[in-house]
Amino acid sequence: MAAGLTNILEDRDAPPPPVQVKRITDDGVELMDGLLLPSSCIFLNGRVFLWDAPDLKDGKWDGWSKDRLAIFEAVVPKPEILLLGTGTSATLPPPGIRQYLSSIGISLDVMDARNACSTYNLLAEEGRNVAAALVLPNAPKWR
């Protein structure tokens, strides 16, 4: 705010605008603003988080536990639904992942990453409290 001016139209309590996905390429997830995310990522409460998610090689969930989704336990408000994009095809997670999310009040919908992005865009545009977690094949790891 400059020189004591107040924007009377600004709603400080309003959620940030939703992140919108333009497309998924071989290089990563491209957002509508042109930003390219080269790794697996989470869209949550209008923010983007790079995510060190294990690869889903041959549909196997090796290295996965509820710890990979702990961000959803800490956030307030929690999303009503998490869209889990599992690369180029839908790969169902182990029952423990779904049970964990259910225990903290989040519904899980699993689909390939492209459909997860499209569904996320639609639900976020409608103003729904939705999150997306995208596991990209061959994504670099962040440490």
Side-chain angles (χ1 to χ4, degrees):
M1 187 167 8
L5 299 175
T6 302
N7 181 351
I8 63 171
L9 300 177
E10 179 182 11
D11 183 357
R12 295 183 193 274
D13 296 326
V19 173
Q20 292 288 294
V21 178
K22 183 174 184 180
R23 64 184 167 185
I24 293 184
T25 70
D26 291 338
D27 296 323
V29 178
E30 184 180 353
L31 302 182
M32 287 294 190
D33 64 4
L35 181 65
L36 181 67
L37 306 170
S39 89
S40 297
C41 53
I42 293 175
F43 304 148
L44 178 63
N45 292 343
R47 292 177 175 80
V48 178
F49 300 89
L50 297 179
W51 187 29
D52 186 22
D55 290 330
L56 295 174
K57 294 181 182 171
D58 302 320
K60 295 184 177 150
W61 290 80
D62 295 334
W64 282 83
S65 69
K66 69 179 189 174
D67 294 341
R68 296 287 178 181
L69 301 167
I71 189 171
F72 297 105
E73 192 168 343
V75 70
V76 175
K78 292 187 185 349
E80 59 189 80
I81 185 169
L82 171 62
L83 304 169
L84 180 57
T86 57
T88 57
S89 63
T91 304
L92 294 177
I97 299 279
R98 186 176 297 274
Q99 290 166 353
Y100 166 69
L101 290 167
S102 179
S103 75
I104 59 173
I106 300 173
S107 297
L108 178 65
D109 199 353
V110 180
M111 55 192 77
D112 66 85
R114 288 186 200 283
N115 284 318
C117 289
S118 295
T119 304
Y120 174 81
N121 282 349
L122 177 70
L123 294 176
E125 190 67 30
E126 290 177 352
R128 301 273 304 272
N129 189 1
V130 61
L134 307 174
V135 181
L136 301 181
N138 303 316
K141 300 298 173 204
W142 297 95
R143 304 242 184 255

